[in-house]
Amino acid sequence: MSNKIPLAGVIGSPIAHSASPRLHNYWLKKYGIPGFYVPMDIDHSDLKDALKMMPKLGFVGVNVTIPHKETVLALADVVSDRAALIGAANTLIFRQDGKLYADNTDGYGFVENIRQGAPGWDPAAGPAAVLGAGGAARAVIASFVEIGVTEIRLSNRTRARADVLRAEFGPKISVYDWAQAGNMLEGATTVVNTTSLGMAGKSDFRISLDALSPDAVATDIVYNPLRTKFLEEAEAKGCTTVDGLGMLLHQAAPGFERWFGHRPEVDDQTRSVVLGV
Ligand code: ATR
């Protein structure tokens, strides 16, 4: 690295709502590391030029969010196996050899969040049920496959997207019609909502949890609100519930470590800082 102050940031559009600057700048301050993390609203047409310029300005890496997560893969020189598997990157590293390295830590963040929020969680204890088949579901499914979940049940409003994931990730996945989504919860030991249902400003979560066992761990990738209707209903059934905020915090940790040389801790204080409370 040069003697420039190390910079990192997040690229996307829109970007004003991103919690990542608050999170990374808190960690920089907490660990006394000189550096800054900035939000950058970048158009698709400027993406290639921007990525070329950034290392010259002192950037050591950036996070990537909507709408660039898939596009950046084609611009990277080296793509990690997990980013290739998911088909998207959320973390870029400007390496000292001049190469652009693309990684995806979403699945890692997802799993770490459950491990921290539901101590003793055994991913291989039984079937996992996944609601939704969008970009977030890809990362969730890839990580479930990686950590040895033997049966993954998948349901999505648009069934064709779930069928694509089954074709890609193989026979561990069984696809259920959206009208049958409630049925796939029977016997599941992990249940994940990866849809936008229940998110502030989006449609309500209306899937019946009648078949859900109290032994299941339920987690939502939605974190606004923190306590979604899905998690409230699962909690009322006796399930252990894990909200989605921790996924955001944990996915950020490997990038911060690669860029700034220190593994940050994800704790209650980190949650409070990001929530602004
Ligand atoms: P992300 O990258 O966050 O997963 P996405 O790719 O737009 O975003 O996926 C959003 C998910 O929420 C999809 O599974 C979507 O279902 P479709 O594939 O049928 O669009 C799901 N979703 C969004 N609104 C929904 C609704 N009103 N009812 C059911 N599912 C919905």
Side-chain angles (χ1 to χ4, degrees), residues 47-60:
L47 187 61
K48 193 174 174 188
D49 289 343
L51 290 174
K52 232 188 164 99
M53 199 58 194
M54 280 179 200
K56 298 178 193 172
L57 298 171
F59 279 87
V60 288

Side-chain angles (χ1 to χ4, degrees), residues 132-137 156-158 161 178 194-197 203 221:
N156 192 51
R157 176 181 60 179
T158 311
R161 290 181 95 184
W178 189 238
T194 76
T195 72
S196 49
L197 295 174
S203 305
I221 63 147

Side-chain angles (χ1 to χ4, degrees), residues 26 29 55 62 77 93 97 117 127 162 168 188 192 198 202 207 219 251 260:
Y26 161 70
K29 199 168 164 209
V62 284
D77 301 300
I93 293 154
D97 63 5
E168 263 179 60
V192 190
K202 302 277 172 148
I207 291 153
T219 185
Q251 63 78 30
F260 299 115

Side-chain angles (χ1 to χ4, degrees), residues 9 19 25 27 60 97 100 105 109 111 123 127 138 141 144 155-156 164 180 188 193 202 207 218 227:
N25 287 316
W27 279 336
V60 288
D97 63 5
L100 177 60
T105 64
V111 169
R138 292 186 91 84
I141 289 169
F144 276 160
S155 187
N156 192 51
V164 167
Q180 308 297 319
N193 175 43
K202 302 277 172 148
I207 291 153
R227 301 305 297 169

Side-chain angles (χ1 to χ4, degrees), residues 82 104-113 143 250-251 253-254 263:
R82 55 191 182 178
N104 194 313
T105 64
D106 283 335
Y108 164 84
F110 169 72
V111 169
E112 276 308 296
N113 184 37
S143 63
H250 283 286
Q251 63 78 30
R263 184 69 166 203

Side-chain angles (χ1 to χ4, degrees), residues 2 28 51 107 110 113 158 168 190 196 200 212 223 237 268 270:
S2 70
L28 286 167
L51 290 174
F110 169 72
N113 184 37
T158 311
E168 263 179 60
T190 311
S196 49
L212 186 60
Y223 59 86
K237 293 218 67 164
D268 286 347
T270 321

